[in-house]
Amino acid sequence: MHEINEKEAALVEKFKKLLEDAPGMLERQKDLDKFAEEVSKTLYRLLIEIIVYSIEKLDDKIKESEEVKENWKNIKRDYRTILMPHAVVVYKRRYYQHKQTGEYAYLVDKLLGIDSYQRLSQHYEEKIRSLFKVHKSFAGVLKELAKASSTTEISAQTVRNKISKDKKRDDKKQN
């Protein structure tokens, strides 16, 4: 059986607190939509904590694997930031060097399919692609993203880079 650790206990307590506080929140608000929005925000913050916890736990598991112990040298730990709709996920992960080939890699990022220098979640990248199909301009995409999220900022250059990268990939497929 899995023994609950300190971080897991803290996450459970936050969820329990929300359950305990929810009826009072609704009674004070007297507005179902505002109540739902407040609960959603709290749950989304908790979701982000769970995502960060899970990534860092996976990174720990990778570090302890026999294959990694035999073939990779742990160099350092760095922070990684990934922008998601309505949130910024910041987690710590280990940087390794392969003992035989000299290759450097963040193995947890590699396992999760996160490319070097990737700042946007796959979901967010897809959202940018679909918005660009509708608006046909970087400014239109930025305007829609700003409307949808007050906590996540994406620059025009990031949108431009994403669309340009997609166009290059599509052009290669056609050739």
Side-chain angles (χ1 to χ4, degrees):
M1 187 167 128
H2 173 75
E3 202 170 303
I4 195 163
N5 67 33
E6 191 176 311
K7 181 64 177 173
E8 292 167 343
L11 291 169
V12 169
E13 284 305 312
K14 287 179 181 183
F15 187 74
K16 280 182 179 179
K17 182 164 176 30
L18 175 62
L19 285 175
E20 291 168 5
D21 293 349
M25 289 165 43
L26 179 57
E27 190 176 334
R28 282 189 306 279
Q29 296 259 341
K30 294 182 181 70
D31 182 318
L32 190 57
D33 287 333
K34 287 181 182 176
F35 168 72
E37 185 177 327
E38 192 172 336
V39 170
S40 294
K41 286 179 182 178
T42 303
L43 284 172
Y44 203 80
R45 285 191 300 270
L46 188 57
L47 171 68
I48 298 305
E49 287 185 53
I50 292 169
I51 290 169
V52 169
Y53 172 74
S54 299
I55 293 170
E56 291 177 355
K57 189 94 170 161
L58 180 59
D59 190 56
D60 291 342
K61 189 175 182 179
I62 290 168
K63 178 185 178 249
E64 296 304 318
S65 75
E66 288 303 316
E67 195 273 328
V68 169
K69 285 180 179 179
E70 288 176 20
N71 299 307
W72 294 87
K73 180 182 174 189
N74 184 354
I75 305 293
K76 62 182 176 176
R77 282 186 87 184
D78 284 330
Y79 285 97
R80 178 68 184 256
T81 302
I82 300 289
L83 300 175
M84 300 180 74
H86 312 295
V88 178
V89 175
V90 180
Y91 61 93
K92 285 179 91 169
R93 83 274 204 245
R94 290 175 179 86
Y95 190 55
Y96 295 92
Q97 182 179 23
H98 196 275
K99 292 176 181 175
Q100 277 74 44
T101 66
E103 172 194 4
Y104 288 93
Y106 291 100
L107 297 179
V108 75
D109 289 354
K110 199 172 186 177
L111 182 69
L112 295 174
I114 299 171
D115 295 331
S116 299
Y117 306 106
Q118 182 177 337
R119 291 187 50 228
L120 306 175
S121 69
Q122 286 89 350
H123 174 80
Y124 221 8
E125 288 182 354
E126 184 58 41
K127 186 173 188 149
I128 288 171
R129 280 192 287 274
S130 65
L131 286 171
F132 190 75
K133 287 176 185 175
V134 172
H135 294 282
K136 304 286 187 216
S137 73
F138 303 123
V141 171
L142 286 171
K143 189 175 180 180
E144 285 299 315
L145 291 174
K147 273 195 246 178
S149 173
S150 60
T151 59
T152 307
E153 294 180 19
I154 296 181
S155 69
Q157 189 62 48
T158 299
V159 172
R160 186 175 289 114
N161 291 346
K162 180 66 201 141
I163 300 302
S164 298
K165 182 179 171 185
D166 287 348
K167 283 183 179 179
K168 286 178 187 175
R169 189 180 62 234
D170 290 347
D171 289 347
K172 283 182 183 179
K173 284 181 183 178
Q174 290 175 352
N175 291 332

